[in-house]
Amino acid sequence: MQYRQKTDAELVVLLTLNDEEAFSELYVRYKSKLQYFCFHFLKVESEACDIVQEVFIRIWESRCFINPELSFSSFLYVMARNRVLNYFKHIDVENKIKDILAKQSLEEENIESDLISTEYQDILRTAIEHLPPQRKKIFNMSRIDGMSHKEIAAILNISVYTVQEHISEALAFIRHYFAQHSDLSLGLMLLWII
């Protein structure tokens, strides 16, 4: 209750001191506004939610470096805007890759597509198998079963933040795994798909 009465600057000071309740209060204050902001550009609710979760994960990870004297809301919106821009850059690169593949003959494209798909699936399956059990379960619930972070948190009786952190760590591990276990062109393509 006392955290609701604090200003953003006061909460950020507490956040820099590793105060999880201060972080939770900032999350509650800005989550919906930030999702609306991202949705305005993306027009896809799940992508907007993912970006907001990534922003707050980065906030927590870099909490010691946040300047409480600067506007926290401006900081959040700049981070969200940058992530939205990166999202569109990734989409643009993916579209360019698709255009290049489309220019190849249909037969070559089908053969290459089958090989890439098979290799991608094998590497992805292996990468997921290397995740710690809880992280693997949460990742599969999110990406395979299509459950929201809130649903996963309720089922596993953990916080939404814990779910977000597991998803973020799983994606980072999978990207790293792809970089180590696939050739460069396939790895670059898959970084945008994941």
Side-chain angles (χ1 to χ4, degrees):
M1 181 85 167
Q2 65 182 359
Y3 283 86
R4 289 185 194 153
Q5 298 165 355
K6 293 190 181 298
T7 65
D8 285 358
E10 291 171 324
L11 289 170
V12 171
V13 168
L14 293 170
L15 174 63
T16 62
L17 300 172
N18 301 323
D19 189 317
E20 291 182 22
E21 288 185 55
F23 174 78
S24 294
E25 177 60 29
L26 289 167
Y27 181 79
V28 168
R29 279 186 193 180
Y30 287 102
K31 177 188 163 219
S32 296
K33 294 174 190 173
L34 219 50
Q35 281 179 346
Y36 179 79
F37 174 78
C38 293
F39 180 76
H40 175 74
F41 298 105
L42 299 170
K43 309 297 186 213
V44 179
E45 188 174 344
S46 63
E47 295 296 338
C49 290
D50 283 349
I51 285 178
V52 169
Q53 290 165 357
E54 287 176 22
V55 166
F56 277 100
I57 287 169
R58 296 297 167 246
I59 291 291
W60 179 254
E61 290 174 345
S62 61
R63 63 192 175 278
C64 299
F65 305 105
I66 298 173
N67 185 347
E69 296 175 12
L70 299 178
S71 167
F72 182 74
S73 65
S74 296
F75 180 62
L76 274 179
Y77 283 100
V78 167
M79 285 183 71
R81 184 201 67 206
N82 289 343
R83 293 214 175 263
V84 167
L85 291 174
N86 285 341
Y87 172 84
F88 285 121
K89 284 179 192 172
H90 293 175
I91 295 294
D92 186 46
V93 169
E94 187 176 312
N95 288 337
K96 286 179 182 174
I97 290 171
K98 288 179 183 176
D99 288 345
I100 290 168
L101 291 175
K103 291 177 184 175
Q104 296 176 352
S105 73
L106 184 59
E107 189 174 309
E108 288 176 352
E109 185 177 301
N110 287 337
I111 292 169
E112 185 175 341
S113 177
D114 289 345
L115 289 172
I116 289 173
S117 178
T118 301
E119 184 176 349
Y120 163 70
Q121 292 297 329
D122 290 345
I123 294 171
L124 179 60
R125 246 183 257 110
T126 305
I128 292 171
E129 287 303 315
H130 281 84
L131 293 171
Q134 180 77 342
R135 188 161 296 151
K136 178 172 132 181
K137 182 176 187 175
I138 291 170
F139 181 82
N140 284 333
M141 290 171 82
S142 171
R143 295 305 195 257
I144 307 297
D145 301 336
M147 297 173 72
S148 73
H149 292 191
K150 190 174 181 179
E151 292 170 325
I152 296 168
I155 289 171
L156 298 179
N157 198 25
I158 57 177
S159 72
V160 171
Y161 175 74
T162 301
V163 173
Q164 295 165 358
E165 200 154 299
H166 275 290
I167 298 292
S168 178
E169 292 293 327
L171 289 173
F173 174 80
I174 291 169
R175 285 186 185 109
H176 180 72
Y177 192 88
F178 270 110
Q180 290 183 327
H181 295 89
S182 63
D183 70 298
L184 183 59
S185 62
L186 178 60
L188 287 173
M189 286 175 54
L190 296 177
L191 286 175
W192 308 123
I193 294 169
I194 296 176

